[in-house]
Amino acid sequence: MSDLIRNIIRFSIFILLQVYVLNKIPHLHKFIVPSLYYLFILWLPFSVPRMALLVIGFLTGITLDVFMMTPGLHAAACVLIAYLRPFIINVLAPKDASGFSYREPSPKALGWTPYLVYTLILTLFHHGYIVLLEWLSFGSIWHFLGKVIATTGISMLLIITTELLFPRRMKFRTNTA
Amino acid sequence: MRNIFLFIRRYFTFLSFLLLQAASLWFLFTYNRFHRAKGLGVANEMSGFFNSNYNMAEDFFTMREENRRVHKMNDSLLNRMPTNFVIADTSVRLVTDSIPNDTLGRVRHFIWRDAQVMYNTVNSEKNYLQINKGSSNGVRDEMGVFSSDGSLVGKVINVSPNFSQVMSLLHVQNKASVLVKKTGHAGIISWDAKDPRFLLLNNIPKSDSIAMGDTIITGNYSISIPPGMMVGRVAEIIQDNTTNFYVLKIRTGANFQSLQQVFVVENLQYDEQTKLLEETRKKVDDPKRNTR
């Protein structure tokens, strides 16, 4: 399956999962909404150019916004993490390899600890930005901090579960292929 | 000039990042200010397509509960049928004519349409509903929306041909005027985004005697919402010593977490009333007439 088709399927699954499952489940506590859809951006292949990353991020966010009736809110956060992604990968990528031996970021490609750091940083940025934008019009500072920490915790839990439940079968990229 | 081009080429990614950010933030803030964005009509149709498919599946699981509620509503309406009543001290039976414009000179003011909820959230600070009636069914902005058991749910804020978006009472920008049924005092109901089961009611003076369980109904002063419909019951009286007003916690009449069928209420004299309002405002504020 080509990267393009794989990612289109992934995109629809993530958006539908977010809109019809995660936003629908009875809330755990006040307003902690589990969110997972941005894992799509974290899973994009290494080879996507930075410019394309930004556009894909924007489209992902705006699609979710259409369903959530908050135009621009998730789009802004997705563009932010799409912009930051290459920097963080550059810092965390294994130094000894000349290129990336795998196609996309995964625990296998980066190693568990760097991968978790990578997801944690981007999750924090994503939720921090969304809650900040909501908070500008509404709420107090404790509400803001509590919500960022709680949503980040839930999202990290979901990401780890996803990684354990659906290990992506990825071919090791060799020179011969 | 050359340096400018070099600069743009060097920071192209960063500049496009800023551009996309600006676009998203512009969407976000204009939407909040005007409650709606014009281009959203098309997007509305698209999400409506997915939502109606999802809704068909979801309906299957909530059928029994919804059926019970509709049955209860029917029951209460059957009890209001004029044939149930007999005037005790004469032998004449009271008969009410059901033609909208009858000989007693009664004119229909509000008309109720049913609609199905396609999408609904309660876990955000700004909650909206999507319903499957739109401008082609006669739904327009500012119409009131009620749940299947007749409690206030919200008002329509954006319409596309086949779907409309409803701002639910569970929205931090929502304000609705309501009455305490017992005393007739008007207040403003709002939501503090803490718990989707409770709303806040301000502006009720402490001279009123409010008890737990008092009924809160919709106010008389709204053009788009019929008066005297259920909003909720007082669940908690919060003593605020700094003002002379109560802060009341209201348990909503509608269960927002399981809305399936709703009613959209149209005021048939809406145009006339709003036009009169506009003209009055223009007349009073007109600088030529109002020379001091």
Side-chain angles (χ1 to χ4, degrees), chain B residues 44 59 64 77 82 91-92 122 143 177 180 182 235 243 254 256 258:
Chain B
N44 208 345
D59 273 356
R64 179 185 292 262
L77 290 178
S91 56
V92 183
V122 294
M143 282 187 188
S177 124
V180 182
K182 196 166 66 177
T243 66
F256 282 90
S258 66

Side-chain angles (χ1 to χ4, degrees), chain A residues 16 19-20 23-25 27 30-31 33 50-51 54-55 58 62 66-69 71-73 75-76 79-80 83 129 133-134 136-138 143 147, chain B residues 12-14 16-17 20-21 24-25 27-29 31 43 47 50-51 54 58 119-120 122-126 128 130 165 172 191-194 196 257:
Chain A
L16 292 179
V19 175
Y20 292 117
N23 285 336
K24 285 280 192 176
I25 58 175
H27 43 279
K30 281 182 196 169
F31 293 102
V33 184
R50 292 179 61 192
M51 198 45 227
L54 288 179
V55 175
F58 184 74
I62 211 82
V66 164
F67 284 99
M68 306 278 291
M69 296 158 223
L73 182 67
V79 171
L80 180 72
Y83 180 70
Y129 198 46
L133 286 177
E134 278 179 347
L136 284 181
S137 55
F138 176 80
H143 180 91
K147 200 169 163 179
Chain B
F12 185 62
T13 324
F14 183 65
S16 43
F17 164 68
L20 287 174
Q21 277 290 318
S24 335
L25 294 183
F27 281 147
L28 181 64
F29 289 117
Y31 188 79
S47 62
F50 284 100
N51 285 339
Y54 169 80
E58 197 194 26
Y119 191 74
N120 175 28
V122 294
N123 50 15
S124 149
E125 276 134 19
K126 291 171 180 151
Y128 299 90
Q130 189 173 54
Q165 304 282 14
V172 287
W191 191 51
D192 58 352
K194 291 229 171 81
Q257 305 189 33

Side-chain angles (χ1 to χ4, degrees), chain A residues 82-156:
Chain A
Y83 180 70
L84 294 176
R85 196 188 100 126
F87 296 111
I88 293 162
I89 287 181
N90 274 344
V91 173
L92 294 173
K95 286 287 179 294
D96 52 343
S98 52
F100 292 106
S101 5
Y102 290 91
R103 220 185 281 146
E104 42 187 58
S106 71
K108 218 172 165 188
L110 293 172
W112 267 101
T113 322
Y115 181 74
L116 286 184
V117 173
Y118 161 72
T119 46
L120 180 67
I121 293 173
L122 289 182
T123 308
L124 261 180
F125 269 108
H126 177 266
H127 291 321
Y129 198 46
I130 281 192
V131 182
L132 177 74
L133 286 177
E134 278 179 347
W135 175 65
L136 284 181
S137 55
F138 176 80
S140 70
I141 183 79
W142 294 115
H143 180 91
F144 170 72
L145 288 176
K147 200 169 163 179
V148 171
I149 292 166
T151 44
T152 306
I154 294 286
S155 294
M156 284 308 289

Side-chain angles (χ1 to χ4, degrees), chain B:
Chain B
M1 200 63 197
R2 191 168 159 268
N3 281 340
I4 295 176
F5 282 126
L6 278 179
F7 176 80
I8 291 176
R9 218 167 81 190
R10 185 148 177 217
Y11 293 103
F12 185 62
T13 324
F14 183 65
L15 288 176
S16 43
F17 164 68
L18 287 184
L19 190 77
L20 287 174
Q21 277 290 318
S24 335
L25 294 183
W26 185 74
F27 281 147
L28 181 64
F29 289 117
T30 48
Y31 188 79
N32 283 351
R33 205 176 320 134
F34 303 117
H35 289 330
R36 55 183 158 265
K38 282 300 164 203
L40 221 68
V42 183
N44 208 345
E45 288 289 301
M46 189 198 97
S47 62
F49 168 76
F50 284 100
N51 285 339
S52 56
N53 278 332
Y54 169 80
N55 198 255
M56 277 182 345
E58 197 194 26
D59 273 356
F60 183 76
F61 298 102
T62 51
M63 235 163 8
R64 179 185 292 262
E65 169 67 11
E66 192 58 30
N67 212 347
R68 192 187 58 76
R69 220 178 1 227
V70 171
H71 191 76
K72 225 163 83 182
M73 182 75 182
N74 262 338
D75 195 38
S76 69
L77 290 178
L78 281 174
N79 271 319
R80 283 195 197 170
M81 293 254 291
T83 47
N84 290 336
F85 298 98
V86 178
I87 295 173
D89 54 355
T90 68
S91 56
V92 183
R93 209 175 60 167
L94 177 71
V95 175
T96 315
D97 199 344
S98 58
I99 303 171
N101 204 341
D102 67 14
T103 48
L104 295 171
R106 298 193 308 176
V107 177
R108 183 176 268 279
H109 190 47
F110 290 104
I111 193 161
W112 295 59
R113 287 187 180 83
D114 72 310
Q116 206 173 357
V117 178
M118 297 278 107
Y119 191 74
N120 175 28
T121 55
V122 294
N123 50 15
S124 149
E125 276 134 19
K126 291 171 180 151
N127 293 300
Y128 299 90
L129 283 75
Q130 189 173 54
I131 57 175
N132 69 346
K133 291 277 161 74
S135 55
S136 59
N137 308 94
V139 176
R140 286 184 300 174
D141 284 2
E142 297 291 317
M143 282 187 188
V145 176
F146 288 84
S147 72
S148 54
D149 38 15
S151 317
L152 186 62
V153 165
K155 66 174 181 194
V156 176
I157 56 160
N158 197 9
V159 208
S160 71
N162 298 308
F163 298 95
S164 1
Q165 304 282 14
V166 178
M167 183 196 268
S168 120
L169 282 182
L170 307 180
H171 190 295
V172 287
Q173 288 167 338
N174 178 64
K175 296 265 183 292
S177 124
V178 294
L179 291 180
V180 182
K181 192 179 183 185
K182 196 166 66 177
T183 62
H185 264 272
I188 303 282
I189 210 158
S190 60
W191 191 51
D192 58 352
K194 291 229 171 81
D195 191 327
R197 290 169 303 169
F198 297 103
L199 301 165
L200 284 185
L201 175 57
N202 294 308
N203 280 10
I204 303 295
K206 281 188 177 160
S207 54
D208 275 19
S209 57
I210 301 283
M212 304 272 276
D214 278 0
T215 311
I216 308 294
I217 57 177
T218 55
N220 298 323
Y221 303 131
S222 171
I223 292 180
S224 49
I225 292 171
M229 299 303 298
M230 177 80 171
V231 175
R233 288 179 200 284
V234 177
E236 195 186 332
I237 300 166
I238 302 164
Q239 291 294 341
D240 183 5
N241 290 330
T242 55
T243 66
N244 277 327
F245 296 100
Y246 284 121
V247 177
L248 302 174
K249 220 170 172 184
I250 311 294
R251 180 179 277 276
T252 58
N255 184 357
F256 282 90
Q257 305 189 33
S258 66
L259 284 177
Q260 285 297 312
Q261 305 286 333
V262 291
F263 294 107
V264 185
V265 184
E266 179 181 1
N267 177 356
L268 295 173
Q269 272 97 31
Y270 182 83
D271 282 341
E272 193 181 332
Q273 279 180 293
T274 44
K275 203 175 148 209
L276 182 64
L277 206 68
E278 279 293 302
E279 276 173 3
T280 316
R281 203 167 283 156
K282 224 180 275 170
K283 219 170 186 173
V284 173
D285 294 341
D286 192 356
K288 266 176 265 166
R289 295 177 64 95
N290 216 355
T291 48
R292 261 165 295 215

